[in-house]
Amino acid sequence: MDLVRRTIERYVPLRTDEWERIAPRWAEHAFSKGAAVCAVGQVEERFYIVKSGVQRLSFPHDGQDVCVGFAYDGSWCGEYASFISRRPARFDVVALTDSVLVGIGHDDLQRLYAEVPVMERFGRLIMEELLLGRATREIEQMSLSAEERYDRLMARSPHLLQLVPQKDIASYLRMTPETFSRLRRRH
Amino acid sequence: MDLVRRTIERYVPLRTDEWERIAPRWAEHAFSKGAAVCAVGQVEERFYIVKSGVQRLSFPHDGQDVCVGFAYDGSWCGEYASFISRRPARFDVVALTDSVLVGIGHDDLQRLYAEVPVMERFGRLIMEELLLGRATREIEQMSLSAEERYDRLMARSPHLLQLVPQKDIASYLRMTPETFSRLRRRH
DNA sequence: GAGCGCGCTTGATCCACATCAAGAACGGTC
DNA sequence: GACCGTTCTTGATGTGGATCAAGCGCGCTC
C-alpha cells in the first residue's frame, strides 16, 4: 500500500485525510506467469501499479502477437485505452513472470476524481506522462531503422534482455526474431 | 470565443461564473499559409483549438519531414508534448493553409487548473482523448500494410485528399509519394 | 534420462516498398 | 502569357528485412 502512496505523491502532495479516502480503494492482485491481466475483447476494469514482475502489452495480428510495450516495477500497467473509454480492449496484457499488481477499479477511481480534487490532477498528470511516452516511441518507430531501434533499446534498457523473451523484444522493435538474432550477433 | 466554450462544454458543463474566468485567457492567433505554429527546438507556449484552416504535425528526419498528424476545424492543435513537458519541441506544427487558432498560454492554463476545479477535469479528459487517438494510430501503423493504411484513411477521412498535399498524406501513411501515387491509380 | 515443445540461431530465397530518374501538370509571380 | 519551382506521375532498378527451412539447445514432464 505504501507503494501506492509513494507513487501518487510523485505527482501530487497528499494530506492524511486525502490518503485515508484513497487507500481503501486500491487492492493487490496476483497473476502467475502466463496469466492474462486483460484480454482483447473484455473491458479493462482496473488501472494498475506494478509491485513486482514483468508484463507485456500486445495486440494480436494474424496469428502473431505484436508487442507494443512492457511494464515492470513501479510502472503503470493495464489496458489504459479500454479502461478510459469503457470499450472492449484491443490489447492483451499478459504477465511474463509471476506478478503482483496494485489496482484500482474504474468506478472507484471515478468516485475519487469526484470526491478528492487532488486526484483529478493526479489523473491528468498520469495521462500527460503516458502521452509523452507515446510521442517519444512514435518518433523512434517512425524515424529509426531496425538496427538503430535495436541499438537505442540496448542503450536505454539493456536489462529487458534478461527479463523478457527475445521474440517479444523483437516484436516490440518491429522486426522478426530472426532479424533480432542477427543484429545481436553483429553486436 | 463561442467556439472555445462549446468545445470545453463537450467535456464538462460550465457555469457562467466559471466561463467568465476562463474566457479572458484565450486569444485568437492568425497564421498564414506556410507559417510555423511551433518549430522544433522552441518550447510550445500555447495549446490551441482550430477555428479555421489545416495544420500539419511533423518531425524532421534526415532532410525529410515525417508527418504524424493533421489538425483542422474543431480539433486540438499545437506541440502538446512540448507544451506539457516544457521541453524543446521535437515536432514542427505548420499551417498548410491560412489558419486561425484560438489558444491558451501555458501559465494561464495552469492558473485555470488551480482556480477552476472543473478545468482540471477538462484537462484530464483531453489528455485521455489524445492518448486514445495515439493508441488507435499505433495499432494501425503496426499492423496494416501500406495498401491497407491507404484504404483505411480513404475510408475514414477522404476529405484530407482535398485539404492537404499528397506528399504529406503519403508521409503520414509511412510511404513515399511514389507509392501513394501508385496506390491511388490502382484505386 | 528419454521424449517433447519452444525459443534461438543460421542460411537461402523472396518481395513490398524505396530509390533513382525523367516527364507532365500545376500554381504563383513578374 | 512566359518562366520557374513544386507536386504529382510513371517506369526501371535496388534492397532491408521478411519468409521459408533446417538444425540446435534447453527446460519440462513423465
Side-chain angles (χ1 to χ4, degrees), chain B residues 50-70:
Chain B
V50 182
K51 187 166 181 181
S52 64
V54 183
Q55 303 82 41
R56 184 190 68 190
L57 183 66
S58 62
F59 66 92
H61 176 63
D62 42 56
Q64 304 282 337
D65 278 330
V66 179
C67 176
V68 300
F70 301 100

Side-chain angles (χ1 to χ4, degrees), chain B residues 2-177:
Chain B
D2 210 40
L3 171 64
V4 175
R5 182 162 192 176
R6 271 184 289 114
T7 303
I8 297 179
E9 291 196 317
R10 287 212 315 264
Y11 298 88
V12 292
L14 289 182
R15 298 191 314 262
T16 307
D17 66 304
E18 287 166 339
W19 171 241
E20 281 168 357
R21 282 169 160 264
I22 294 166
R25 307 291 193 176
W26 294 77
E28 289 194 2
H29 299 264
F31 297 88
S32 42
K33 179 175 175 172
V37 176
C38 183
V40 166
Q42 67 190 51
V43 174
E44 174 64 275
E45 281 305 328
R46 295 190 196 85
F47 185 72
Y48 299 100
I49 299 170
V50 182
K51 187 166 181 181
S52 64
V54 183
Q55 303 82 41
R56 184 190 68 190
L57 183 66
S58 62
F59 66 92
H61 176 63
D62 42 56
Q64 304 282 337
D65 278 330
V66 179
C67 176
V68 300
F70 301 100
Y72 29 80
D73 284 28
S75 58
W76 307 113
C77 181
E79 214 284 23
Y80 321 125
S82 170
F83 180 79
I84 289 168
S85 66
R86 312 271 69 207
R87 314 188 68 210
R90 289 172 300 177
F91 297 91
D92 285 302
V93 180
V94 174
L96 292 178
T97 66
D98 289 349
S99 301
V100 178
L101 309 181
V102 194
I104 184 166
H106 181 267
D107 294 348
D108 280 328
L109 183 58
Q110 299 309 314
R111 229 166 277 136
L112 283 185
Y113 281 156
E115 293 174 4
V116 185
V118 78
M119 281 300 283
E120 192 80 75
R121 166 162 301 201
F122 166 72
R124 174 175 60 84
L125 293 171
I126 292 175
M127 291 304 129
E128 288 183 357
E129 180 176 289
L130 293 175
L131 189 64
L132 283 177
R134 288 293 107 179
T136 299
R137 177 161 159 81
E138 179 156 36
I139 286 189
E140 298 192 351
Q141 288 294 322
M142 311 270 271
S143 66
L144 303 181
S145 69
E147 183 154 14
E148 290 168 322
R149 296 197 299 274
Y150 173 85
D151 291 343
R152 185 72 68 100
L153 187 76
M154 287 305 109
R156 189 185 326 139
S157 314
H159 63 292
L160 261 188
L161 205 50
Q162 271 61 262
L163 293 176
V164 320
Q166 293 187 22
K167 72 182 174 74
D168 289 329
I169 303 184
S171 169
Y172 176 70
L173 292 176
R174 208 105 316 281
M175 64 182 75
T176 59

Side-chain angles (χ1 to χ4, degrees), chain A residues 10-180:
Chain A
R10 287 213 315 263
Y11 298 88
V12 292
L14 289 181
R15 298 191 313 264
T16 307
D17 65 306
E18 288 166 338
W19 171 241
E20 281 167 359
R21 281 168 160 265
I22 294 167
R25 306 292 193 176
W26 294 78
E28 289 195 0
H29 299 265
F31 297 88
S32 43
K33 180 174 176 174
V37 175
C38 183
V40 166
Q42 67 191 51
V43 174
E44 174 65 276
E45 281 306 329
R46 296 191 194 84
F47 185 71
Y48 299 99
I49 300 170
V50 181
K51 186 164 181 183
S52 66
V54 183
Q55 303 81 42
R56 185 190 69 189
L57 182 66
S58 62
F59 66 91
H61 178 64
D62 42 56
Q64 304 283 337
D65 279 330
V66 179
C67 176
V68 301
F70 301 99
Y72 30 78
D73 284 28
S75 59
W76 308 113
C77 181
E79 213 285 22
Y80 321 126
S82 170
F83 180 79
I84 289 169
S85 66
R86 313 271 69 208
R87 314 189 68 210
R90 291 173 299 179
F91 297 91
D92 285 303
V93 181
V94 174
L96 291 179
T97 65
D98 289 349
S99 301
V100 178
L101 310 181
V102 193
I104 182 167
H106 181 268
D107 294 348
D108 280 329
L109 182 59
Q110 299 308 314
R111 227 165 278 137
L112 283 185
Y113 281 157
E115 293 174 4
V116 185
V118 78
M119 281 300 282
E120 191 81 75
R121 166 162 300 202
F122 166 71
R124 172 173 64 81
L125 292 171
I126 292 174
M127 292 303 130
E128 289 183 357
E129 180 177 287
L130 293 175
L131 190 64
L132 283 177
R134 289 292 106 179
T136 300
R137 177 159 158 84
E138 179 155 34
I139 287 189
E140 297 192 351
Q141 288 293 321
M142 311 270 270
S143 66
L144 303 181
S145 69
E147 182 155 14
E148 289 168 325
R149 296 196 301 275
Y150 172 85
D151 291 341
R152 185 73 66 100
L153 187 76
M154 286 306 109
R156 190 184 328 137
S157 313
H159 62 294
L160 261 189
L161 205 49
Q162 271 61 263
L163 293 176
V164 320
Q166 292 187 23
K167 74 183 174 71
D168 289 329
I169 302 182
S171 169
Y172 176 71
L173 291 176
R174 206 107 315 283
M175 64 183 74
T176 59
E178 290 94 327
T179 299
F180 184 82

